[in-house]
Amino acid sequence: LKKKLRDTERILKKQGIPETIKRAAERKLKDFKDQLKEREDRLKNDKMAKKYKMVKFFEQKKTLRKLKTCISQVDGASDQEKAKLHDLADQYKTNLAYIKYYPTGKKYIALY
């Protein structure tokens, strides 16, 4: 792809080429640049996803464990404690959503 990009740039630098060929080469050049940018973005996303996969996995397990203990404590709690535990459970569910849906192309910011 980079070779095609360079070849197209060389064609555009030539003197005395017809206008139709020049316009076609400019379109190709734009397409090649877009494809190259997409490929680089995809590689960056894959690299970041691979880098933070284990961290996200451990955080998910930790949050699920805390959520389970919170839910099990609701059974033997008083009304005031139940409200606190429900709020805490909602917070853990929000944390799970954060872990699951965090964009893969960005640096992951750990919760714990």
Side-chain angles (χ1 to χ4, degrees), residues 68-85:
K68 277 185 185 178
T69 57
C70 185
I71 290 172
S72 65
Q73 289 175 355
V74 169
D75 295 335
S78 66
D79 291 337
Q80 189 178 23
E81 290 176 356
K82 281 184 180 181
K84 287 182 183 178
L85 289 173

Side-chain angles (χ1 to χ4, degrees), residues 38 40-54 56 97-109:
E38 287 176 14
E40 289 172 352
D41 289 345
R42 189 173 56 244
L43 289 174
K44 182 183 173 189
N45 284 345
D46 291 347
K47 182 180 175 185
M48 290 299 238
K50 184 178 177 184
K51 181 178 180 180
Y52 293 112
K53 184 176 182 178
M54 191 182 330
K56 289 172 79 172
Y98 171 82
I99 294 166
K100 186 176 181 180
Y101 297 112
Y102 194 83
T104 57
K106 294 184 179 180
K107 181 180 176 183
Y108 181 73
I109 300 168

Side-chain angles (χ1 to χ4, degrees), residues 24-66:
E26 286 172 350
R27 271 184 268 146
K28 279 185 184 178
L29 183 68
K30 185 179 180 289
D31 289 341
F32 289 146
K33 284 183 180 180
D34 291 343
Q35 288 176 6
L36 186 64
K37 185 175 179 350
E38 287 176 14
R39 180 192 284 173
E40 289 172 352
D41 289 345
R42 189 173 56 244
L43 289 174
K44 182 183 173 189
N45 284 345
D46 291 347
K47 182 180 175 185
M48 290 299 238
K50 184 178 177 184
K51 181 178 180 180
Y52 293 112
K53 184 176 182 178
M54 191 182 330
V55 175
K56 289 172 79 172
F57 173 76
F58 287 132
E59 283 203 340
Q60 183 179 7
K61 289 294 183 186
K62 191 181 292 187
T63 307
L64 283 172
R65 186 175 53 239
K66 288 181 180 185

